[in-house]
């Protein structure tokens, strides 16, 4: 599979210390990343896995030229507390995408919008769907993450592979998890 991935471009939006960037690079991807932390970007630069810049996710299109084959944005979007910045980030992703670009996002979703802490805004699933539709995108796959880890920390430490396996039963999870962080694969409408 590495030959098929070689040369594909990935944007790691909110790259942090480069764990995901390193994975992508090791698997043949051309990696670009950005983060608001100069220290995180300096660390990523030291890994020599790609091109990294200090910047806001909502300004990604000002730093990089698309298109990218994958836009990877984990544990970032719910930290964009202002709706305008969140909408700008999704708009930047559109500007850096082609018709087959996969967006791999994690997002905190709830029944209705809430701000549980000054640095977190939890948006409703419906609000996400509407904003993605405005950009000609939709959620193809949703897989809940972290919930079991949070709900059963002792069990998670003792049997981590069981917890990961259990979390894969995601399609029915919306019925019993009203608040969750999910991995979404977002694609263009066809």
């Amino acid at each position: 599979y590495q030959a098929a991935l070689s040369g594909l471009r990935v944007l790691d939006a909110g790259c942090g210390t480069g764990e995901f960037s390193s994975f992508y690079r090791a698997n043949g991807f051309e990696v670009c990343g950005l983060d608001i932390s100069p220290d995180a970007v300096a660390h990523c630069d030291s890994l020599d896995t790609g091109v990294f810049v200090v910047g806001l996710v909502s300004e990604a299109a000002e730093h990089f030229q698309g298109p990218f084959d994958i836009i990877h944005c984990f544990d970032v979007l719910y930290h964009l507390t202002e709706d305008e910045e969140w909408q700008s980030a999704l708009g930047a992703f559109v500007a850096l995408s082609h018709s087959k670009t996969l967006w791999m996002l994690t997002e905190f979703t709830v029944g209705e919008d809430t701000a549980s802490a000054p640095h977190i805004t939890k948006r409703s699933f419906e609000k996400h769907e509407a904003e993605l539709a405005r950009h000609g995108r939709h959620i193809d796959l949703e897989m809940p993450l972290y919930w079991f880890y949070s709900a059963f920390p002792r069990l998670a430490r003792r049997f981590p592979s069981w917890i990961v396996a259990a979390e894969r039963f995601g399609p029915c999870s919306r019925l019993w998890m009203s608040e969750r962080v999910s991995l979404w694969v977002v694609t263009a409408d066809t």
Side-chain angles (χ1 to χ4, degrees):
Y1 72 92
Q2 276 186 310
L5 300 178
S6 183
L8 293 179
R9 298 184 72 216
V10 64
L11 172 64
D12 192 353
C15 58
T17 58
E19 278 187 61
F20 292 111
S21 294
S22 296
F23 168 81
Y24 284 117
R25 182 70 185 124
N27 285 282
F29 284 83
E30 177 187 327
V31 178
C32 295
L34 79 159
D35 200 279
I36 61 169
S37 167
D39 292 337
V41 169
H43 180 74
C44 288
D45 282 338
S46 74
L47 299 174
D48 196 30
T49 57
V51 176
F52 299 92
V53 298
V54 176
L56 299 173
V57 172
S58 58
E59 299 170 350
E62 297 172 24
H63 296 286
F64 299 107
Q65 186 166 353
F68 287 92
D69 300 295
I70 293 178
I71 294 181
H72 176 113
C73 188
F74 275 31
D75 297 336
V76 173
L77 293 175
Y78 52 84
H79 291 290
L80 304 180
T81 58
E82 300 297 324
D83 280 347
E84 295 79 25
E85 186 177 6
W86 170 70
Q87 291 165 333
S88 292
L90 296 177
F93 294 169
V94 169
L96 294 168
S97 297
H98 54 67
S99 64
K100 296 192 184 298
T101 298
L102 294 178
W103 297 2
M104 297 178 61
L105 315 174
T106 57
E107 187 63 298
F108 214 131
T109 54
V110 290
E112 54 189 59
D113 292 5
T114 61
S116 62
H119 64 284
I120 294 176
T121 295
K122 301 173 184 176
R123 295 174 178 88
S124 70
F125 189 78
E126 291 73 23
K127 187 172 196 169
H128 285 94
E129 286 184 312
E131 187 63 23
L132 290 168
R134 192 170 77 81
H135 292 294
R137 299 270 163 174
H138 64 276
I139 299 167
D140 259 352
L141 172 70
E142 178 184 17
M143 186 175 115
L145 302 174
Y146 312 138
W147 187 84
F148 282 109
Y149 288 107
S150 300
F152 306 106
R154 288 177 52 196
L155 185 63
R157 284 192 300 276
R158 190 147 186 219
F159 304 104
S161 62
W162 291 4
I163 299 302
V164 170
E167 286 197 356
R168 291 196 176 131
F169 293 104
C172 63
S173 67
R174 195 172 297 155
L175 299 173
W176 52 275
M177 282 193 283
S178 61
E179 188 173 290
R180 65 198 176 278
V181 174
S182 294
L183 164 66
W184 293 341
V185 176
V186 176
T187 58
D189 295 339
T190 53

